[in-house]
Amino acid sequence: MTELQPIHEDPHLLVLDKPAGLLCVPGRGEDKQDCLSARAQRQWPDALVVHRLDMATSGLVLMARSAQMQRLLGDAFAARQVHKGYEAIVDGLLPVSTDWSLIDAPLAADWPRRPLQKIDPAGKPSQTRWRVKRLLPARHASHLWLEPLTGRSHQLRVHLLSIGHPILGDALYGSEAVRQRAPRLLLHAAALALLHPADGRALRFESPLPFA
C-alpha cells in the first residue's frame, strides 16, 4: 500500500489529505477496516484521531501524536478555535456577494433513515457560512466557499440541501439527477488553521481542489 504523504508532520501532530471514498476511522465489518486512521497508524504508531470527515468528502484531516495533544486539539475544536474552510459545487445559481451568508438551522439524527441527519427545531444548534467563489452557468451550478461554525455530522450537506442547493454527487441527500451530475461528492476540506498547542505558533494548511 502506498505510504501517506503528510501535508505537515511534527512530533505533536499530523495533517493528512484524505481522498474521497476512504473512511476516517474503521466501520463495522471486515470490509470497512481500511481507513485513514489505520493507514496513519502503520506509519506513525502514535497517531490519534481528533476529528473526522465523511467518507465521501476529501481533504485535510488533523491527527494528534499523544493523548495530551489529542485532548488539547479536541478542546480547540470544541472552543471553535480551529478554522475549517471547505469548497463545494452545488446545484443551481446562488447570488454573488462579497459578504458571507449564514445558514442557521439546528440538526438532529433522522432515526428511521440513519445515518441521515435532518433539520429539526429540537436539534443541536448548527451554523454554516457560505459565499460564492464562482458561478458555473453552463452547469447550472455554483462553486462555494463554506465555513462550518459548528461541527455536526453531515452539516454542510444538510444545510445546503435545506436552502435548495444540494451538493453535486451527493449519494445520501441528492436526488437521482443531482447524484448523476458528478462521479463523487463535490465537497472538499480545503483549509485548516489553528494555533499549535505545543508552542502557540499560527499554522495554516491548504489542499488543492481535486475536482473541477
Side-chain angles (χ1 to χ4, degrees):
M1 188 176 293
T2 306
E3 283 201 344
L4 297 171
Q5 300 299 317
I7 299 288
H8 174 83
E9 175 185 3
D10 70 36
H12 304 285
L13 55 85
L14 300 165
V15 179
L16 304 173
D17 206 346
K18 186 186 86 67
L22 181 67
L23 289 164
C24 263
V25 297
R28 292 180 183 170
E30 283 300 312
D31 60 329
K32 295 184 176 63
Q33 298 310 296
D34 181 33
C35 60
L36 186 70
S37 62
R39 293 184 186 185
Q41 285 160 4
R42 279 195 286 270
Q43 284 177 245
W44 302 277
D46 54 4
L48 296 169
V49 172
V50 176
H51 69 119
R52 305 177 188 183
L53 296 179
D54 292 346
M55 180 177 177
T57 305
S58 56
L60 298 173
V61 175
L62 181 65
M63 299 190 79
R65 300 192 66 182
S66 69
Q68 179 192 19
M69 191 58 51
Q70 186 185 40
R71 284 193 301 272
L72 291 171
L73 290 170
D75 290 346
F77 272 97
R80 301 187 188 182
Q81 293 168 347
V82 179
H83 166 82
K84 296 175 289 181
Y86 291 73
E87 294 189 41
I89 296 179
V90 304
D91 179 46
L93 300 174
L94 281 153
V96 177
S97 172
T98 55
D99 296 325
W100 289 84
S101 297
L102 179 69
I103 303 170
D104 187 353
L107 294 173
D110 188 350
W111 290 108
R113 304 168 66 217
R114 284 176 296 178
L116 271 64
Q117 306 290 307
K118 63 179 180 179
I119 305 293
D120 186 333
K124 294 179 180 178
S126 307
Q127 294 182 316
T128 300
R129 294 188 345 137
W130 66 268
R131 188 156 68 92
V132 173
K133 181 176 181 179
R134 59 185 175 132
L135 293 177
L136 305 167
R139 297 169 66 181
H140 190 64
S142 302
H143 184 170
L144 304 184
W145 284 301
L146 301 167
E147 289 185 359
L149 302 182
T150 50
R152 312 300 178 204
S153 181
H154 297 177
Q155 177 177 315
L156 300 177
R157 300 162 79 168
V158 178
H159 271 177
L160 289 164
L161 176 68
S162 76
I163 63 169
H165 297 277
I167 300 172
L168 298 188
D170 193 340
L172 282 180
Y173 296 98
S175 65
E176 184 62 28
V178 164
R179 293 176 208 168
Q180 295 298 326
R181 288 174 61 191
R184 53 154 291 188
L185 177 72
L186 300 189
L187 177 62
H188 183 66
L192 199 58
L194 67 153
L195 297 179
H196 198 302
D199 56 26
R201 64 194 157 108
L203 302 176
R204 180 176 173 83
F205 307 103
E206 295 185 357
S207 169
L209 203 65
F211 51 79

